[in-house]
Amino acid sequence: MKKILFLYIFCSFFLMIKAGEIDNLWLRMSANAKAEVICKKQSPTLTIAATELRKAWRGAPVELQVQTKKEWKKLGEEGFTIRTSADGKKITVASFGEAGILYGVYHLLRLQQTGELTAQLNISESPSYKIRVLNHWDNLDRTVERGYAGRSLWHWEQLPDTLSPRYEEYARANASIGINATVLNNVNATPQMLSREYLQKVKALAGVFRPYGIKVYLSINFSSPAELSGLSTSDPLDTSVRCWWKEKVNEIYRLIPDFGGFLVKANSEGLPGPQDFGRTHADGANMLADALQPHGGIVMWRAFVYSPGDSDRAKQAYQEFMPLDGKFRDNVIIQVKNGPIDFQPREPFSPLFGAMKQTAVMPEFQITQEYLGFSNHLVYLAPLWKECLESDTYQHGQGSTVACVTDGSVYPHQLTAIAGVANIGDDANWCGHPFAQANWYAFGRLSWNNELTSAQIADEWIKQTFSDNESQNDTIGATSKNIGYEWKNGASSSIKPIKGSMDLTVASWKTTFLPQVRQMMLQSREAAVDYMMPLGLHHLFAFGHHYGPEPWCNVLGARADWLPTYYHKADSVGVGFDRSSTGSNAVSQYQSPLCEMYNDVQTCPENLLLWFHHVPWNHKMKSGRTLWDELCYTYDQGVQQARSFQKTWDTMEPFVDSQRFHEVQRRLKIQTRDAVWWKDACLLYFQQFSCHPIPYDIERPVHNLDSLEQYHLKISNYENAPM
Ligand code: BDP
């Protein structure tokens, strides 16, 4: 009995400590600065802004000014200026809107945290996209589709009465990087989401998020009228259905006056939609848009559609949506995944970007790493997103990049937006892998300013995340107190410096930790492409859960376009999907000169070669190697890079608190193990077709193809895959 009691007390104590250890993400500012802040107006948002400054700002007094004059309108309600007075004695953060003040304050604090403050500040910023939205694929039972960081943050069972403190922490983190919208539930939406009971819960969350400038949106199920209220149809042209949506929307706005609108996945992967009634996507979207319009709400209608027919899956979204260009209401925006298939490690950009000219289009990125090693692999995603944003669509002449055709600079649509599928769960560190936080951060920063570089964002994140800025200095690393090894209550005793090998000074933080961790992050996406599916290969994943390689996968009765063989088409001649003019002709969906460039095997970029062409094993690559040899060397390079990340990280031990050090170290081991698994599985499998040897100067496979083919990872086990 005594033992049990002791165990109970011990466990409760342990849990108490655990519960208090929620990770502060990139917001590790000190909390006792006692800054002078002047703010004549009062409101919940301004109070947050002022409180953040009072706690953490260590410079001259700051005045927060909400401007009312017309000329300030140009910057928008979210844009801001930060200016130091001529005598240097005061800093003014000004905006037309309160949200702008909040963003200005977080900007100022970020400059302080990253050591970027200058004596005379003269900053003016406004966001690239009006709506910067996270898509949570969270279900009402708190499971998260493609989530690898625990359960959903939303405790539906406790709402609306109990509000977890994490709701506010979540809102604060988002506001600090400019995210102003959140879709709370899975795109595979249940009708129940719109029930009166759940709307009350949504209202409670909206109340927490509102002062942080965040609006709430919901994913809806297109059959809700029939499923929720027993209507005989959900046909968007049916009067009773249209009335149902109007009333439902009115009900929502009575509860949540600033509700954002709906996100819709329709006629996609088995979900209902307007086509079930012989109507178009435009009919469906416009019906919802009409109901939302009087309240200022919008519809984000997804273009992620494909059916199991004969047509190349990569072509289908374009085929379905292009004929509808110009047929959507002004408060509809088409949400398009970055590539034409599905968040693969590398895809060309979706040809819908720039091609839909009369309709607003928004990019959708995946922050959660469904196809990139879950929360086991360190893969910094800014380079992937930048690659898409910087791709020239040529749809409005040279230079009409995906960024320009979606952010309002090329086409004059009022509505601009960008979405990221969240990687957030209720894990203490929010995102599973400590470095996955960088992807949440990067999405926010890019949605605010799509011209920032991956390196700039990585630097910002590293500086804020691995230093606690306990000191009174406004430049990073000005004293040893600033650096990571004093992270926990100044507990320097927990540091285990590598004997004599490491100069633990601030200078060494700057010359060792920062550049090496930055480099590891910047290389990590290309490394993942290399060890998973280089040269334009795609969708070689295990069926269903998408963790690990199964290029051979053949599930009885499964749709062909859910199987890797559909995508790689390996045979004795070569490998790759022929999307050239002699194949599926997907190249024709791209504007000239891209179309011609992709179409020709000689001019197609080699990192997309097998996406667009079925290429003979002996094809001469630019390196002079055959395709087969190039494939082998590239897989091997991916493995070597994963190993190099381990080496880099091990030397970083003195700079990082032990908890995060070991956590990252543990996951990097898995990443390298997986990289070898990927390389062996893919090369041994493809070798059956190429019949060439694996070049003798690279590492030999350590697995047998037979045993790899026998092995089926259970999703619940992915952290401990024995490969
Ligand atoms: C795929 C995911 C699936 C999502 C779907 C979507 O595997 O879970 O429901 O995308 O975006 O990547 O709707």
Side-chain angles (χ1 to χ4, degrees), residues 533-586:
M533 38 199 94
L535 306 180
L537 286 170
H538 49 291
H539 231 309
L540 306 183
F541 295 97
F543 191 76
H545 56 62
H546 302 154
Y547 191 89
E550 278 188 21
W552 50 80
C553 172
N554 191 6
V555 175
L556 213 66
R559 273 171 65 159
D561 56 357
W562 284 352
L563 296 174
T565 44
Y566 172 96
Y567 298 97
H568 64 65
K569 303 210 183 312
D571 57 22
S572 59
V573 177
V575 62
F577 196 125
D578 185 2
R579 296 193 166 103
S580 73
S581 50
T582 52
S584 80
N585 204 20

Side-chain angles (χ1 to χ4, degrees), residues 206-237:
V208 179
F209 302 159
R210 186 169 296 115
Y212 287 89
I214 296 168
K215 282 188 183 177
V216 160
Y217 295 68
L218 292 175
S219 295
I220 59 111
N221 182 300
F222 203 77
S223 291
S224 296
E227 304 262 341
L228 207 59
S229 302
L231 265 61
S232 59
T233 176
S234 294
D235 179 352
L237 298 193

Side-chain angles (χ1 to χ4, degrees), residues 137 145-146 186-188 265 268-269 302 304 337 342-343 364 366 370-371 544 546:
W137 286 359
E145 179 150 346
R146 313 303 181 184
N186 194 350
V187 283
N188 299 312
K265 172 175 177 180
S268 165
E269 299 188 328
R302 295 177 90 224
F304 180 64
K337 289 188 181 183
D342 190 9
F343 299 136
E364 175 179 322
Q366 196 177 41
E370 172 182 359
Y371 294 104
H546 302 154

Side-chain angles (χ1 to χ4, degrees), residues 100-165:
I101 301 278
L102 188 62
Y103 294 137
V105 163
Y106 282 122
H107 191 91
L108 188 60
L109 290 171
R110 176 165 48 244
L111 294 179
Q112 173 177 264
Q113 256 185 303
T114 54
E116 301 292 329
L117 280 174
T118 53
Q120 282 293 323
L121 295 168
N122 187 6
I123 297 166
S124 172
E125 293 233 351
S126 57
S128 299
Y129 295 93
K130 285 195 180 130
I131 300 174
R132 306 173 296 279
V133 60
L134 285 182
N135 288 184
H136 287 268
W137 286 359
D138 294 18
N139 298 313
L140 301 188
D141 62 3
R142 297 195 61 225
T143 55
V144 181
E145 179 150 346
R146 313 303 181 184
Y148 316 106
R151 293 168 70 75
S152 168
L153 267 191
W154 325 131
H155 285 268
W156 294 111
E157 73 291 357
Q158 297 174 359
L159 285 161
D161 303 327
T162 307
L163 297 173
S164 153

Side-chain angles (χ1 to χ4, degrees), residues 625 628-630 632-633 636 640 679 683 687 691-701:
R625 295 179 184 133
W628 167 252
D629 281 359
E630 187 83 0
C632 295
Y633 281 107
D636 192 58
Q640 299 314 327
K679 171 186 162 222
L683 291 184
Q687 192 178 32
C691 298
H692 289 307
I694 293 175
Y696 293 106
D697 54 339
I698 67 172
E699 274 179 44
R700 308 288 86 200

Side-chain angles (χ1 to χ4, degrees), residues 33-37 53 56-62 88-91 108-109 112 117 472-474:
K34 304 195 181 74
E36 190 183 328
V37 181
L53 278 178
W57 175 244
R58 298 189 182 278
V62 183
K89 291 201 172 132
K90 198 175 93 178
I91 295 169
L108 188 60
L109 290 171
Q112 173 177 264
L117 280 174
Q472 51 293 62
N473 300 285
D474 56 5

Side-chain angles (χ1 to χ4, degrees), residues 164-226:
S164 153
R166 290 194 78 175
Y167 302 156
E168 191 167 347
E169 288 166 27
Y170 162 87
R172 176 177 179 238
N174 279 328
S176 76
I177 51 176
I179 289 170
N180 67 356
T182 179
V183 182
L184 296 176
N185 61 319
N186 194 350
V187 283
N188 299 312
T190 154
Q192 207 192 346
M193 190 71 247
L194 293 182
S195 66
R196 194 168 287 260
E197 182 196 353
Y198 273 87
L199 290 178
Q200 291 289 349
K201 299 171 193 276
V202 174
K203 176 188 172 177
L205 287 173
V208 179
F209 302 159
R210 186 169 296 115
Y212 287 89
I214 296 168
K215 282 188 183 177
V216 160
Y217 295 68
L218 292 175
S219 295
I220 59 111
N221 182 300
F222 203 77
S223 291
S224 296

